[in-house]
Amino acid sequence: MTNMALFAEQQVRADLARLLLAAVEASGRARCDIARDTQIHKDALRRILAGERSASLGEALRILAASGVAPHAHLLLFLVSSGDHAIAWLQSDLAQFFEDFSGELPSALERVLGNQIHDVKPRWAKGTAHRVARLLSDHIDELERKDALLGEVFAGAEGGHRG
């Protein structure tokens, strides 16, 4: 059962404000420039970042985008994980990966599973997430091995031309 205390308006507003403030500060941009790009009055932006005013969904996405981060990924991380993950992944390749991955996942599931999509069980989610992470880790390891091998081949080729 979902703990409804996690969704208390003031707590959600404070957590979202913390994420948005971290994104704005990490961007290196002036708040007045972000306010102009997001079409949010600078005082309203100040109140949003201070947690005094709730940001609409569109405002949150625009603030994140104007801050130079993957807006959907960070908002999704905020919703499904924690504000801490969303903040920790600010301006990272991992956040961009998560944005592209989560955006592609629904159509990939439909395309690959076809009629089996209705057979998917919620209890499989955790194991599938771990399996995808292991698959990604194996893929990174394989790319690193190939890079090392290519480096040795190029080093050997350079050594052969000199001698």
Side-chain angles (χ1 to χ4, degrees):
M1 181 165 206
T2 302
N3 180 359
M4 291 301 189
L6 295 174
F7 303 132
E9 182 63 31
Q10 285 193 305
Q11 185 61 50
V12 172
R13 182 187 306 155
D15 290 345
L16 182 57
R18 210 167 46 87
L19 168 61
L20 296 175
L21 179 62
V24 168
E25 288 179 345
S27 74
R29 298 187 66 207
R31 289 185 185 187
C32 60
D33 293 337
I34 290 176
R36 184 183 59 249
D37 290 352
T38 59
Q39 299 177 346
I40 300 172
H41 189 275
K42 62 184 178 179
D43 187 55
L45 178 63
R46 179 194 58 77
R47 290 187 356 254
I48 288 170
L49 299 178
E52 298 167 1
R53 175 186 178 281
S54 293
S56 71
L57 181 59
E59 288 170 334
L61 288 169
R62 291 194 312 268
I63 292 168
L64 290 168
S67 298
V69 301
H72 295 96
H74 286 86
L75 203 52
L76 186 57
L77 277 170
F78 174 77
L79 292 171
V80 300
S81 182
S82 72
D84 294 336
H85 268 119
I87 291 170
W89 290 9
L90 279 173
Q91 297 181 331
S92 70
D93 286 344
L94 185 55
Q96 188 59 52
F97 168 85
F98 188 74
E99 175 130 339
D100 295 344
F101 177 81
S102 58
E104 182 64 27
L105 186 60
S107 59
L109 288 171
E110 287 178 341
R111 187 174 51 254
V112 172
L113 293 175
N115 290 336
Q116 292 177 317
I117 201 157
H118 302 292
D119 298 331
V120 173
K121 305 292 185 238
R123 68 177 185 267
W124 299 341
K126 186 175 181 178
T128 302
H130 287 271
R131 189 169 186 179
V132 167
R134 279 192 307 275
L135 179 67
L136 185 57
S137 176
D138 292 345
H139 181 65
I140 291 169
D141 290 345
E142 182 180 340
L143 290 175
E144 288 174 349
R145 280 191 301 273
K146 286 180 180 179
D147 284 347
L149 182 62
L150 284 175
E152 290 173 10
V153 168
F154 285 125
E158 287 178 3
H161 290 298
R162 290 185 191 151

